[in-house]
Amino acid sequence: MRIGLISDTEGNARALAADELGWLRSLPEEFVLTDGVYVCHGMPGNPWNTFWPAHPTYDGNLTAAERDASLRMLTKANASVVLCGHAPEPAEYHDLLPDGRPLHIVRAGPRSDTAVDYAILTDRQRWEVSWHTTGIGA
């Protein structure tokens, strides 16, 4: 199984057709994509923060209680992989769920007016991540 994760920018939404943009807006803010793979914009339960790893500027308002609640949410969802799009740079991070199971987090990475970074995950008994960049057409 392969999964693509793209970090996009508000400016690119204008390049989408109305039906494509409508479809994107109809999607849930976060969801289980497939067994064990949880998709969210920032962190589970809060689309505007990310805590893998915590960033002093961007995540200074994140409390320990919010982090614990997010990890409990992932435990209930039986997640082993989290795909996050709200990220200033691509990152791969490992954490532990409250029940002791490993958690693999992949953040998509930066975007600009000319390029979007994305990650492709391939399941080969464990998730392998490869990083890519694509140009944005005018």
Side-chain angles (χ1 to χ4, degrees):
M1 172 193 305
R2 296 186 106 181
I3 299 170
L5 174 65
I6 298 175
S7 183
D8 206 347
T9 133
E10 190 65 34
N12 291 323
R14 289 188 290 268
L16 297 174
D19 61 332
E20 294 169 324
L21 187 56
W23 175 79
L24 283 172
R25 288 183 172 151
S26 74
L27 295 174
E29 289 186 14
E30 49 193 83
F31 57 95
V32 175
L33 178 65
T34 186
D35 290 342
V37 179
Y38 195 92
V39 178
C40 58
H41 177 75
M43 63 182 266
N46 184 336
W48 307 114
N49 271 339
T50 182
F51 57 82
W52 297 302
H55 190 282
T57 301
Y58 303 115
D59 304 319
N61 61 335
L62 182 66
T63 68
E66 287 173 315
R67 179 176 168 25
D68 291 343
S70 187
L71 290 171
R72 283 193 309 276
M73 180 185 297
L74 292 171
T75 301
K76 287 180 184 177
N78 202 28
S80 59
V81 175
V82 178
L83 307 178
C84 306
H86 185 78
E89 70 277 333
E92 185 174 8
Y93 182 71
H94 297 272
D95 206 337
L96 290 176
L97 292 166
D99 64 6
R101 289 183 296 124
L103 185 63
H104 188 172
I105 300 96
V106 177
R107 298 176 2 171
R111 62 272 182 209
S112 69
D113 291 342
T114 59
V116 174
D117 282 11
Y118 64 98
I120 294 180
L121 288 76
T122 305
D123 186 4
R124 294 193 174 116
Q125 303 291 333
R126 65 178 184 80
W127 290 102
E128 294 178 5
V129 180
S130 59
W131 303 98
H132 307 272
T133 300
T134 188
I136 298 172

